[in-house]
Amino acid sequence: MKIHKPKLPKEIQIKGSKSETNRLLILQKVLGAIEILNPSSSQDTELLKSALASQNKIIDVHNAGTAMRFLTSFFAIQEGRETLLTGSERMKQRPISPLVEALQELGADIQYLERAGFPPLKIKGKKIEKSSVRIPAGISSQFITSLILIGGSLASGLMIELVGEITSRPYLEMTLKILKTLYPNAPISFQGQKIFIPYLLNAKPSQSSFIVESDWSSASYFYSFAAIGRREIKLSNFKRDSLQGDAVVSKIYRNFFGVETVFNDNEHSLSLIPKADFSRPTEIHLDMNDCPDIAQTVCVTAAAMQIPFTIEGLATLKIKETDRLLALHNELKKLGCHTETSHCSIKTLHYTKPELPISIKTYDDHRMAMSFAPYSLLQEIEIQNPEVVEKSYPEFWKDLGI
C-alpha cells in the first residue's frame, strides 16, 4: 500500500488499550465478573477472548505473545483440564522458559512439546499449593504479569521475588494499579524486588465495571505525525493520570520534538500542539527500558527530522513479533538513516539521502507498519503487508483517512 501526505481528521478516537483489556480479560475469568467498557478491538484481544471462551484441548494463539504468556498461567490453574497451547512459527521461536520454570516451581504440570524452552506447551491444570516463587525480571514483564494475574486465586496468595534488573516496570505497575482499583483494601504490594498478591476470591470488587483508557502506544504514531507535520491533532479518551507506561510518550515528544500535550480533563481528551519556536536538539539520548513498544516510533520521527539518536534499554525488542532492532536497522537505512545496533541499543551513524522509491518491509510486525507511516508526510512510501496493523490497531489506516 502506497501512502503520501494522508489527510488526518482533526480528532481521532483510538480504541481501548490492548494491555489493559487483556489483563482485565484474565482477571474477569480468574476473579469473577467485571464488565469491561471500551475494550480493545485488536486481533490479539480477540484471540485471547476466543481462547478463554473455548473448551477445545488445542488452543492456537497464532502470533499473540501476550495471550501465550497469560494463558500459560491461566491454564496451569484450571484443575482437571489438559490444554495444548500453541502458536505461529514465530511464536515457537519466542522463549517462554522463565515463566514455565516459575510455574513448575509452584507445582504446575507443564511440558514442552517440541523444543525445550519454547512453545508449544502441554499443560495439565491442577491446584497450586505453593505461595512464593522467584523469576528473572529482565527478559519480559509479561512473564511476571502472568503470575500476578493468577495470584489472587491461590489459597495463600502469591509472593513473587524478581531476580535481576526489572524491565518494562510500568507494565507491572499498570497490572497492580488495575488490581488496586478493583480491590482498594487488599494488601497488594510492590516493594523492592518483591510483589505480593493476596487471596482475592473472597473479596468483593469495589466496582462492577472498568473503563479501559485508549491506547497510548497507538497514540504515539499521532505524536509522530504531529512532530513531522507540525500540525495540531486531537485524541479522545485519554487521561492525565494514565495507568499505561507508554504515556511517557508525551514527555519524550515535548522534550525532543517540540510537541506539547494539552489535556482537557472534562472531555477526557488531549491535543498535540507543536511549538512554533521549536529548535531541533543536537542529539537524542534515551533509555527506553520502561517503554520499548514506542521505540520504533521515536526512531522514525528522529530519522524524519534527521536528529542523531542513541536509544538504549531495548533488549526485549529482539524477542518481539520480529527482531525489531534488526528490522529498524534495515528499514531506517531506506530513509537515509544509517545505524548500528547492539543486543539492547540502536544508534545513528550518519544520514544520507533516502533510497527512492521507499518500500518498508513490515516483518509481520504491526508496529513496523504504523511507526513508519508518518514518514509519508515527507515522501511517498509503500508499506508492505499493511494488514499487520490488525494485531493491535485494526482501524489505523481508516483513522489516517486512507
Side-chain angles (χ1 to χ4, degrees), residues 156-209:
S156 300
L158 183 62
M159 175 68 78
I160 306 168
E161 183 178 346
L162 308 181
V163 180
E165 183 182 359
I166 301 170
T167 189
S168 303
R169 185 186 184 99
Y171 285 94
L172 302 179
E173 293 173 342
M174 174 174 64
T175 309
L176 296 172
K177 286 175 183 175
I178 290 172
L179 279 169
K180 288 177 180 179
T181 300
L182 294 169
Y183 302 95
N185 297 320
I188 299 163
S189 65
F190 186 1
Q191 297 180 343
Q193 297 285 114
K194 292 185 177 181
I195 296 172
F196 177 68
I197 309 298
Y199 180 66
L200 295 171
L201 286 179
N202 288 339
K204 184 178 179 180
S206 63
Q207 56 194 56
S208 59
S209 63

Side-chain angles (χ1 to χ4, degrees), residues 1-6 225 369 372-374 376-377 379-383 397 400 402:
M1 179 178 71
K2 293 181 179 180
I3 55 175
H4 188 211
K5 296 183 178 179
F225 273 109
F372 276 82
S376 65
L377 292 175
Q379 183 77 45
E380 180 181 83
I381 63 171
E382 179 186 22
I383 300 291
W397 303 120
L400 293 191
I402 296 173

